């Protein structure tokens, strides 16, 4: 852990709970979701708190009674930290800067309101440094796929107390560096997005030459293209097929036969290092889908990636999530692969995807895809040109992603360096000089006195309504399908399983009950489960 030994020697430090006021937000419950319309207010949740930025595009609402509004309303300079997140992101922090004017926060977030001697911008930098350097991840406790920072664990962390003049200089320095990194990351993101879209556009341009996607049987004299169905451009004895239904356990004794899944296709290549192997007996039962060099593979479940089989995978196989297209002698493999990857063909496929949980293509659709066929020499010329174009694009994307990784690494290093590392030491010497230690001690005294006064304040004895959303709610040991539906119906949009688990106020022991209820609702077709990409899962109520 980076603290407290790594703090500059002239600095003093206190605990987070002494450096400012900490509070967990209001619990979302049936009382708060069904409260009076006049009490409905916008609030922040984990999805709204990014690294050093608040995403205000999708604010949810719930009921905050008068007492809760006084307690949970944000003020300018409040810092929000994600209490529950994946371990590497737990404690992700951002500052509220008075926009929108009235805003509240949920119990998936911790609010930190700095003592008057501590600049909020400096506190934000410290917390970002703790998150980037793994301090928060180290103290977090994990439940299912979520790590929880924990209010008490957060409160007990040391907090550095440099002189005020040093805090101001650190903030100025950090903001200058952050602005430069943000500008570079934005530029890299634009490059990646542009380079990612260009190959599909280039394929359309060179293969279609500006023409529209045709129908099988049509001939275009201008482009000298004859449109055929994909089923008619394959070898006569090798129809379009998918592969092994149940490959069984991975065979790692050297006797196994490698097989290709949809996730093994990437950027036009097969990721051979991650291929699994099935037994010889299973491979023999699915000999019809065995591979030869030059076969074209198409992912048909969730992803629509394309790759050409290399010489090394002769005799390998595929799974049911992959279609094998073996071109006839009149069709070039690279040309066909480029066509399948073109924006036109990919759009045609996407319009025929079926299913929500695992959207996929039927082989019938793959066989019906219109394919523009030219003479073989022209196909090869086009394929060679596109190979050069896509290779250049992939090189640009790799370099840009590598630059992003380096910039993000630099960002992690500079936050810790500015917050309490080498940069902080350098700034301390040049701002407070020999007075650093005495100024830091003065701040420590003031912080301790303020914290002591706060602890001695008499507790309020005013009665609380039983419907007050700020009351303590015990975590439940189980849940029901009806409770899950109620939360999803009140949500402002689809939820991922982790957020749904948190909003149900479930204890760790409720995991089995939670997933059993989800399975029951799915069997009853009362849920819609969407997978927008290879990793995310979104759950909502079926219409």
């Amino acid at each position: 852990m980076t603290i407290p030994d790594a703090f500059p020697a002239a600095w003093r430090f206190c605990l987070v709970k002494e450096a400012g006021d900490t509070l967990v937000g209001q619990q979302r419950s049936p009382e708060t979701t069904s409260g009076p319309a006049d009490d409905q207010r916008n609030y922040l949740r984990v999805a709204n708190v990014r690294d050093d930025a608040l995403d205000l595009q999708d604010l949810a609402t719930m009921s905050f009674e008068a007492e809760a509004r006084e307690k949970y309303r944000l003020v300018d300079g409040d810092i929000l930290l994600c209490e529950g997140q994946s371990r590497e992101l737990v404690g992700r922090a951002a500052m509220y800067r008075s926009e929108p004017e009235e805003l509240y926060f949920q119990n998936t977030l911790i609010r930190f309101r700095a003592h008057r001697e501590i600049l909020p911008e400096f506190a934000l930098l410290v917390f970002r440094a703790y998150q980037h350097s793994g301090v928060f991840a180290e103290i977090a406790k994990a439940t299912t796929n979520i790590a929880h920072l924990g209010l008490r664990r957060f409160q007990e962390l040391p907090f550095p107390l440099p002189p005020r003049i040093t805090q101001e200089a650190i903030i100025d320095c950090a903001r200058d560096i952050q602005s430069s990194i943000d500008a570079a990351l934005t530029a890299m993101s634009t490059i990646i997005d542009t380079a990612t879209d260009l190959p599909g556009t280039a394929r359309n341009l060179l293969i279609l030459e500006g023409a529209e996607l045709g129908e099988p049987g049509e001939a275009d004299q201008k482009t000298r293209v004859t449109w055929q169905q994909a089923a008619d451009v394959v070898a006569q004895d090798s129809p379009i097929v998918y592969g092994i239904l149940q490959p069984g356990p991975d065979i790692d004794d050297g006797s196994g036969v490698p097989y290709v899944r949809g996730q093994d296709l990437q950027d036009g290549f097969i990721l051979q290092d991650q291929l699994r192997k099935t037994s010889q007996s299973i491979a023999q039962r699915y000999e019809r889908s065995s591979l030869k060099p030059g076969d074209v593979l198409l992912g048909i479940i969730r992803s629509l990636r394309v790759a050409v089989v290399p010489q090394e995978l002769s005799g390998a196989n595929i799974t049911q999530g992959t279609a094998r297209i073996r071109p006839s002698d009149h069709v070039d493999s690279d040309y066909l692969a480029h066509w399948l990857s073109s924006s036109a063909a990919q759009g045609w496929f996407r319009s025929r995807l079926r299913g929500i949980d695992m959207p996929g293509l039927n082989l019938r659709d793959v066989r019906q895809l219109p394919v523009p066929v030219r003479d073989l020499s022209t196909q090869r010329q086009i394929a060679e040109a596109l190979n050069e174009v896509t290779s250049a694009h992939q090189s640009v994307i790799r370099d840009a992603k590598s630059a992003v990784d380096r910039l993000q690494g630099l960002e992690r290093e500079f936050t810790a360096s500015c917050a309490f590392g080498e940069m902080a030491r350098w700034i301390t010497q040049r701002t407070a000089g020999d007075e650093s230690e005495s100024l830091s001690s003065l701040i420590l005294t003031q912080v301790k006195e303020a914290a002591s006064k706060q602890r001695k304040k008499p507790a309020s004895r005013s009665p609380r309504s039983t419907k007050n959303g700020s009351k303590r709610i015990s975590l439940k040991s189980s849940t029901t399908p009806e409770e899950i539906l109620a939360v999803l119906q009140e949500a402002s949009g689809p939820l991922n399983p982790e957020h749904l688990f948190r909003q149900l106020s479930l204890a760790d022991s409720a995991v089995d009950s939670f997933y059993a209820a989800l399975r029951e609702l799915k069997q009853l077709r009362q849920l819609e489960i969407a997978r927008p990409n290879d990793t995310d899962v979104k759950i909502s109520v079926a219409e």
Side-chain angles (χ1 to χ4, degrees):
M1 191 178 291
T2 317
I3 49 179
D5 295 339
F7 292 162
W11 291 8
R12 298 294 179 260
F13 65 89
C14 63
L15 300 179
V16 167
K17 65 182 179 183
E18 297 170 322
D21 178 55
T22 56
L23 181 68
V24 173
Q26 176 172 275
Q27 170 73 47
R28 186 178 174 90
S29 66
E31 290 89 349
T32 60
T33 55
S34 60
D38 291 344
D39 288 343
Q40 295 293 316
R41 297 291 190 277
N42 288 330
Y43 70 90
L44 296 175
R45 55 199 194 281
V46 168
N48 302 116
V49 178
R50 318 305 297 174
D51 181 28
D52 196 23
L54 294 179
D55 182 354
L56 303 173
Q57 298 301 311
D58 181 27
L59 295 178
T61 61
M62 66 172 157
S63 176
F64 287 83
E65 295 182 352
E67 185 179 351
R69 289 199 294 274
E70 181 178 351
K71 182 176 183 180
Y72 297 114
R73 182 167 179 172
L74 296 170
V75 300
D76 184 59
D78 280 351
I79 298 169
L80 286 309
L81 301 97
C82 295
E83 195 283 325
Q85 254 288 13
S86 58
R87 186 170 288 277
E88 70 275 10
L89 297 179
V90 69
R92 188 169 59 186
M95 183 183 294
Y96 171 67
R97 304 176 189 274
S98 299
E99 186 181 340
E101 184 177 350
E102 184 178 2
L103 193 59
Y104 301 84
F105 63 107
Q106 190 189 15
N107 70 326
T108 55
L109 301 175
I110 296 174
R111 186 207 69 197
F112 175 86
R113 185 171 290 170
H115 181 275
R116 60 185 177 84
E117 294 296 334
I118 297 169
L119 296 175
E121 287 276 4
F122 176 72
L124 174 62
L125 181 65
V126 170
F127 296 144
R128 292 184 65 223
Y130 281 0
Q131 191 253 310
H132 288 168
S133 60
V135 172
F136 287 152
E138 185 175 335
I139 68 168
K141 302 295 184 183
T143 61
T144 63
N145 294 324
I146 305 175
H148 295 282
L149 182 58
L151 179 62
R152 289 189 179 181
R153 291 187 294 274
F154 172 63
Q155 290 174 330
E156 295 299 322
L157 284 173
F159 188 93
L161 297 172
R164 180 85 173 216
I165 189 174
T166 302
Q167 293 181 43
E168 293 172 349
I170 286 174
I171 291 168
D172 290 342
C173 177
R175 279 296 162 204
D176 286 344
I177 298 174
Q178 187 68 59
S179 295
S180 298
I181 290 178
D182 287 345
L185 286 171
T186 298
M188 290 300 104
S189 178
T190 301
I191 290 172
I192 291 171
D193 291 343
T194 303
T196 300
D197 292 338
L198 280 175
T201 304
R203 291 175 177 120
N204 280 4
L205 180 64
L206 290 182
I207 296 175
L208 292 178
E209 298 182 29
E212 297 293 328
L213 192 147
E215 294 291 335
E218 292 181 354
D220 188 326
Q221 297 300 324
K222 180 180 179 182
T223 59
R224 291 173 293 176
V225 164
T226 300
W227 289 93
Q228 299 181 30
Q229 287 188 341
D232 297 328
V233 301
V234 298
Q236 289 187 352
D237 59 347
S238 302
I240 297 174
V241 294
Y242 58 71
I244 302 170
L245 298 179
Q246 294 181 331
D250 191 25
I251 305 298
D252 58 2
D253 62 1
S255 66
V257 176
Y259 60 90
V260 181
R261 303 163 295 168
Q263 58 263 48
D264 299 324
L265 309 177
Q266 187 169 318
D267 297 332
F269 298 95
I270 298 171
L271 303 177
Q272 298 185 46
D273 291 343
Q274 69 180 35
L275 294 184
R276 296 182 179 179
K277 296 179 175 64
T278 188
S279 66
Q280 292 282 350
S281 59
I282 292 177
Q284 288 172 4
R285 290 204 301 271
Y286 288 89
E287 189 175 0
R288 62 178 175 78
S289 55
S290 64
L291 302 180
K292 291 183 179 180
D295 286 349
V296 180
L297 304 184
L298 169 69
I300 57 175
I301 295 181
R302 290 173 58 185
S303 76
L304 298 170
R305 298 171 183 153
V306 179
V308 178
V309 175
Q311 185 70 40
E312 309 91 87
L313 291 181
S314 179
N317 216 302
I318 55 176
T319 64
Q320 62 178 331
T322 311
R324 187 204 66 193
I325 307 172
R326 180 169 294 164
S328 68
D329 294 339
H330 304 292
V331 177
D332 180 74
S333 295
D334 285 345
Y335 174 83
L336 179 59
H338 282 301
W339 170 243
L340 295 176
S341 302
S342 69
S343 298
Q346 289 280 303
W348 192 93
F349 283 139
R350 282 193 297 271
S351 69
R352 288 157 176 80
L353 286 171
R354 294 170 175 82
I356 296 174
D357 190 6
M358 294 285 282
L361 288 170
N362 289 329
L363 284 186
R364 180 180 65 255
D365 295 320
V366 179
R367 292 169 181 143
Q368 292 175 350
L369 171 73
V371 178
V373 180
R374 294 176 167 82
D375 64 85
L376 195 56
S377 62
T378 303
Q379 291 180 42
R380 288 173 176 163
Q381 290 175 2
I382 292 174
E384 288 175 5
L386 287 172
N387 285 341
E388 294 182 8
V389 170
T390 54
S391 177
H393 287 156
Q394 289 164 0
S395 177
V396 169
I397 292 172
R398 283 194 300 271
D399 290 346
K401 287 182 176 179
S402 177
V404 168
D405 290 341
R406 292 195 297 273
L407 285 167
Q408 291 174 337
L410 177 63
E411 183 178 26
R412 289 189 294 270
E413 292 173 6
F414 105 79
T415 52
S417 181
C418 284
F420 41 69
E422 289 301 321
M423 184 66 72
R425 293 181 178 84
W426 185 86
I427 293 174
T428 300
Q429 185 59 38
R430 280 154 183 77
T431 52
D434 295 337
E435 299 295 321
S436 297
E437 189 168 345
S438 59
L439 292 172
S440 184
S441 296
L442 178 61
I443 290 181
L444 174 62
T445 300
Q446 293 171 334
V447 166
K448 292 280 188 181
E449 288 177 353
S452 177
K453 290 178 182 178
Q454 186 69 26
R455 287 195 297 270
K456 292 178 181 178
K457 282 185 179 180
S460 173
R461 296 184 179 180
S462 58
R464 292 188 179 184
S465 165
T466 57
K467 293 186 178 181
N468 184 5
S470 63
K471 66 182 180 182
R472 182 180 180 86
I473 297 178
S474 299
L475 296 179
K476 297 180 294 184
S477 60
S478 65
T479 189
T480 65
E482 291 75 18
E483 290 175 336
I484 289 178
L485 283 178
V487 171
L488 290 173
Q489 287 167 347
E490 293 294 336
S492 60
L495 301 176
N496 64 36
E498 291 84 357
H499 291 170
L500 179 56
F501 188 88
R502 289 285 294 150
Q503 294 201 10
L504 286 162
S505 302
L506 298 177
D508 297 352
S509 58
V511 172
D512 291 341
S513 168
F514 173 69
Y515 282 103
L518 282 181
R519 286 193 294 272
E520 181 177 340
L521 289 171
K522 184 178 177 182
Q523 291 170 356
L524 294 173
R525 298 186 178 180
Q526 292 182 293
L527 293 185
E528 287 189 0
I529 301 177
R531 296 179 181 270
N533 52 49
D534 288 348
T535 57
D536 293 337
V537 177
K538 299 293 184 181
I539 302 173
S540 58
V541 178
E543 297 181 356

